[in-house]
Amino acid sequence: MATARVGACLLVAVMCLSCGAAAAARSPEARMHRHLKRLNKPAVKSIESPDGDIIDCVHISHQPAFDHPFLKNHTIQMRPSYHPEGLYDESKTNVASSADGEKPMVQLWHQNGRCSPGTVPVRRTKKDDLLRASSFRRYGRKRHTVANPMSVDPAMLNEGGHQHAISYVQGEKYYGAKATINVWEPKIEQPNEFSLSQLWILGGSFGEDLNSIEAGWQVSPDLYGDNNTRLFTYWTSDAYQATGCYNILCAGFVQINSEVAMGASIFPLSGYSGSQYDISILIWKDPKEGHWWMQFGKEYVLGYWPSFLFSYLADSASMIEWGGEVVNSQPDGVHTSTQMGSGHFPEEGFSKASYFKNIQVVDSTNNLKAPRGLGTFTEQSNCYDVQNGNNGDWGSYFYYGGPGRSSNCQ
């Protein structure tokens, strides 16, 4: 009898230990540790940026993209089969350019080192990054935010708090888009707000089936924990519901470049009435492989979104948008003072307002060309506005942006 009691006690003890171990594995701390391990791949080398970021140089075949089941046996495309025709016709556009002809540093972390060929730079996700997110599952994702200039209900102008000032084209099949974008550091009023300037490659309707590829620069305290201006990308194949993410925070985008890190700080930045700096971004669909490639300036092909990630964009895009977006959380019931672009209206012009220039689309013959029928859209032009133009030096361009809250923007 005594032996049986001892055995029963040992069994209960083992069960309690097992329950305790299972509970520990389900704890928020343990889940966070597992999530960080999934995001942060083993590094060949790590570089600390002056802004506090850690850039991990990860072997190219170990990057987050290969967590996708469709990419397990994927052969990495190290270069696109084709570039768009006419890409190198411009003599002015560099990886980054300034009004006085400098070729500045591209990203801040370059001050302290570079990644070697065969690796890709990945901004390390920290514990604090996850703690700022509404949930681990939502970290690195955003809500439906694309401007729909074709159907705006005035009663829903601030739905979700997102406001835009954009130029756009629609009505044809598009196979890519390009622009040179002025880089600023707009002021953000609330930590849960952001300000960005980007291009959108869109396919499908604006319902739950929307496909989108996006790239540009953003300031997002909630995502990055600071107010630095950062290079970013985004993609979704279901209107931001369950697929896609910023940068390479989930499986999808395949990076091949060892020089430029998604989500890292851009340096230097434009100053009001001072030196102006811009970046050039091209996204296009390779007519042979079908993948959507991204190029940064003339020198850096960064990588690609595999065609199988998408439904509509597996063929072509039906709309292209360029411009700015902010979140207006309406703190205290009034419009946010978060800035778009430089924080100044388009009428102020060069060195004061933010711009997109050399705007082009890629057509069905893989040629870069000026967009036809360029339209503009903004929900509240007294808060953020946009003005198109065209000349021999800049081709199709526009100035955009604004200060947010003012006597005319409540």
Side-chain angles (χ1 to χ4, degrees), residues 10 55 81 93 126 145 159 191 215 236 238-239 256 264 279 333 358 374 402:
L10 285 172
I55 304 298
S81 301
T93 306
K126 300 176 182 177
T145 62
E159 185 186 19
T236 181
D238 63 356
I256 63 166
I279 59 174
N358 297 319
L374 197 62

Side-chain angles (χ1 to χ4, degrees), residues 15-249:
M15 290 173 65
C16 289
L17 285 170
S18 299
C19 291
R26 291 193 300 269
S27 71
E29 191 71 27
R31 288 191 298 115
M32 179 180 295
H33 177 74
R34 287 196 298 272
H35 202 67
L36 286 171
K37 192 173 180 180
R38 279 196 297 271
L39 291 172
N40 297 321
K41 305 301 183 183
V44 175
K45 178 173 73 172
S46 297
I47 299 166
E48 185 170 359
S49 174
D51 61 1
D53 280 355
I54 304 295
I55 304 298
D56 290 325
C57 303
V58 174
H59 192 277
I60 193 167
S61 63
H62 297 163
Q63 62 184 291
F66 295 98
D67 292 339
H68 196 292
F70 287 176
L71 283 169
K72 291 295 184 186
N73 299 311
H74 178 73
T75 300
I76 302 173
Q77 303 291 129
M78 290 307 295
R79 62 181 62 82
S81 301
Y82 297 93
H83 277 80
E85 297 295 328
L87 176 59
Y88 298 110
D89 291 351
E90 302 168 40
S91 60
K92 312 183 268 297
T93 306
N94 234 319
V95 102
S97 60
S98 70
D100 53 11
E102 300 176 52
K103 183 181 175 185
M105 189 172 298
V106 177
Q107 291 189 310
L108 199 56
W109 66 277
H110 291 162
Q111 291 185 11
N112 291 340
R114 303 273 179 148
C115 290
S116 57
T119 67
V120 296
V122 179
R123 179 183 180 270
R124 186 184 299 176
T125 300
K126 300 176 182 177
K127 182 177 178 180
D128 287 347
D129 295 328
L130 294 185
L131 291 174
R132 286 191 305 274
S134 58
S135 70
F136 296 162
R137 189 179 65 84
R138 292 300 307 172
Y139 174 67
R141 303 181 187 275
K142 64 178 178 179
R143 302 187 187 282
H144 193 149
T145 62
V146 175
N148 182 2
M150 312 313 295
S151 59
V152 178
D153 179 350
M156 300 175 70
L157 284 180
N158 197 41
E159 185 186 19
H162 294 266
Q163 293 189 317
H164 307 81
I166 64 166
S167 288
Y168 68 94
V169 289
Q170 56 94 33
E172 300 179 31
K173 286 189 171 185
Y174 305 100
Y175 296 85
K178 181 176 179 291
T180 298
I181 312 172
N182 204 201
V183 185
W184 296 82
E185 189 177 55
K187 299 296 182 286
I188 312 298
E189 181 175 348
Q190 301 290 326
N192 64 333
E193 297 177 335
F194 65 65
S195 181
L196 59 77
S197 297
Q198 68 171 56
L199 55 85
W200 289 260
I201 312 284
L202 301 170
S205 71
F206 283 86
E208 295 184 354
D209 63 351
L210 182 74
N211 289 196
S212 183
I213 293 173
E214 307 164 25
W217 59 259
Q218 69 179 163
V219 178
S220 178
D222 203 36
L223 183 60
Y224 301 107
D226 58 30
N227 292 294
N228 291 359
T229 302
R230 296 169 177 274
L231 175 71
F232 84 97
T233 61
Y234 201 93
W235 72 273
T236 181
S237 61
D238 63 356
Y240 308 93
Q241 295 178 96
T243 63
C245 59
Y246 280 110
N247 306 320
I248 49 178
L249 292 173

Side-chain angles (χ1 to χ4, degrees), residues 158 189 193 328-337 405 409-410:
N158 197 41
E189 181 175 348
E193 297 177 335
N328 170 28
S329 64
Q330 291 199 290
D332 302 320
V334 296
H335 198 287
T336 182
S337 61
R405 184 170 66 241
C409 172
Q410 299 294 324

